[in-house]
Amino acid sequence: MKERVQEVLDQVRPGLQADGGDVELLDVTEDGVVKVQLTGACGTCPFSTMTLKHGIEMRLKEMIPEVKEVVAL
């Protein structure tokens, strides 16, 4: 599943990079929790939680139903 998650992150990455940020995949647990690190402008943006939950998590759940949650470390 980790490869599938990386593919979806690669799809959302250009939007993040356009705003000076990025996302790095750290881990995917067996129970469907995706652990990421927001970097660049996304790491310090006050809207990073919205980006994480309403952008990245929503897209991952849409494309990979096994994903239960996305958390930033």
Side-chain angles (χ1 to χ4, degrees), residues 2-72:
K2 191 171 186 174
E3 294 82 18
R4 292 170 53 208
V5 169
Q6 186 63 59
E7 288 174 13
V8 175
L9 291 178
D10 288 343
Q11 293 172 12
V12 300
R13 180 170 280 116
L16 298 173
Q17 290 175 337
D19 290 331
D22 208 343
V23 61
E24 177 185 345
L25 178 61
L26 301 176
D27 193 23
V28 178
T29 66
E30 290 183 19
D31 59 346
V33 177
V34 176
K35 298 177 182 180
V36 300
Q37 180 173 0
L38 295 173
T39 61
C42 291
T44 58
C45 177
F47 297 106
S48 62
T49 301
M50 287 179 50
T51 298
L52 183 71
K53 293 297 182 182
H54 298 289
I56 297 169
E57 182 176 271
M58 190 169 71
R59 178 74 172 170
L60 281 169
K61 286 180 172 181
E62 178 183 304
M63 301 298 291
I64 308 170
E66 298 88 0
V67 171
K68 303 299 180 219
E69 182 181 17
V70 177
V71 295

